[in-house]
Amino acid sequence: MEKEEIEVLVAAPEHEIYVDTILETIAEAAKVRGTGIAKRTHEYVATKMKEAKAVIALRKSDGRFAGFSYIETWGNKQYVTTSGLIVHPDFRGLGLAKRIKDMTFTLARTRWPHAKIFSLTSGAAVMKMNTELGYKPVTFAELTDDETFWRGCEGCINVDVLHRTDRKYCICTGMLFDPTEQLPAKIPETVLSRIRHLEELEESE
């Protein structure tokens, strides 16, 4: 299968039909890896799609779900995370994770150009992608102190480590992208058009 057969785009309300499949794929991947995961509800992910804060990958021929990621903002939008990156097992080995990561990262930089983008991950592949995008390893103290974000870790099987260390470190590695240290983002027209559409809808309400 060629990667050109998979379309990566900013998710929209009509993509809610894929939410349950997305959540099942994320849960199954966590079981296989034996790693923790912050659990999300159907409504939560659907809202991300409606707010243009998610990226989805679909096979062009039949619209089959291939991958997903979403964006969260913290600390009065001073911090942003790109989270929940998942590729369906049937579509792995095609470089799709990087395409989704790049699109989600660009969307975050476009919508919140002055925010610091951070990541908590235990996966070597994600760490590699983060490094290529300009993230640097940091201590947890350099991440957001927004309690809502840290409550999201309560659903992880490793949360006891976070509690025992008084939130200084855990199984995951903290990584941070500081926009003041980077060049301006190159924004694909597909991302810009989706954001313009969202803004038009908000103005009409």
Side-chain angles (χ1 to χ4, degrees):
M1 184 185 299
E2 298 294 333
K3 68 179 182 180
E4 287 75 15
E5 297 179 19
I6 310 297
E7 183 177 20
V8 179
L9 65 158
V10 180
E14 59 265 28
H15 295 125
E16 184 177 352
I17 59 173
Y18 296 98
V19 171
D20 290 340
T21 300
I22 291 168
L23 294 175
E24 290 168 7
T25 305
I26 292 174
E28 286 302 314
K31 287 180 183 178
V32 171
R33 293 195 306 265
T35 57
I37 184 172
K39 296 181 180 179
R40 300 297 183 221
T41 65
H42 178 108
E43 292 72 21
Y44 184 89
V45 175
T47 298
K48 291 297 178 186
M49 293 177 170
K50 293 173 184 176
E51 295 177 346
K53 295 178 181 177
V55 169
I56 193 167
L58 304 171
R59 186 161 64 184
K60 292 180 181 179
S61 61
D62 56 6
R64 188 179 173 197
F65 169 71
F68 182 74
S69 184
Y70 62 89
I71 297 171
E72 296 175 296
T73 59
W74 312 100
N76 197 28
K77 300 181 180 178
Q78 296 180 62
Y79 290 87
V80 174
T81 52
T82 61
S83 306
L85 176 61
I86 187 68
V87 173
H88 192 280
D90 293 347
F91 298 96
R92 290 174 186 163
L94 302 173
L96 188 53
K98 180 168 172 47
R99 291 177 62 196
I100 296 171
K101 179 75 174 182
D102 288 351
M103 175 72 84
T104 313
F105 179 76
T106 300
L107 177 60
R109 289 202 68 190
T110 303
R111 300 198 64 183
W112 301 278
H114 304 297
K116 293 180 179 180
I117 306 175
F118 70 95
S119 171
L120 278 181
T121 181
S122 60
V126 174
M127 290 181 197
K128 183 176 184 293
M129 287 187 285
N130 285 346
T131 301
E132 291 172 349
L133 289 169
Y135 288 72
K136 296 179 181 178
V138 295
T139 65
F140 283 14
E142 295 177 69
L143 307 181
T144 181
D145 60 1
D146 192 319
E147 291 299 326
T148 304
F149 167 77
W150 294 103
R151 281 200 295 272
C153 294
E154 294 300 317
C156 175
I157 60 173
N158 299 314
V159 70
D160 62 309
V161 179
L162 193 67
H163 291 165
R164 291 200 310 268
T165 62
D166 195 26
R167 216 159 71 187
K168 289 183 173 65
Y169 62 87
C170 195
I171 302 300
C172 286
T173 297
M175 302 187 77
L176 184 72
F177 175 93
D178 188 338
T180 63
E181 301 175 357
Q182 307 291 336
L183 296 173
K186 294 182 180 179
I187 307 167
E189 183 57 36
T190 53
V191 176
L192 286 174
S193 62
R194 174 71 182 116
I195 293 173
R196 292 193 196 103
H197 177 65
L198 179 70
E199 291 173 342
E200 290 171 359
L201 290 177
E202 290 176 343
E203 290 175 359
S204 65
E205 291 179 352

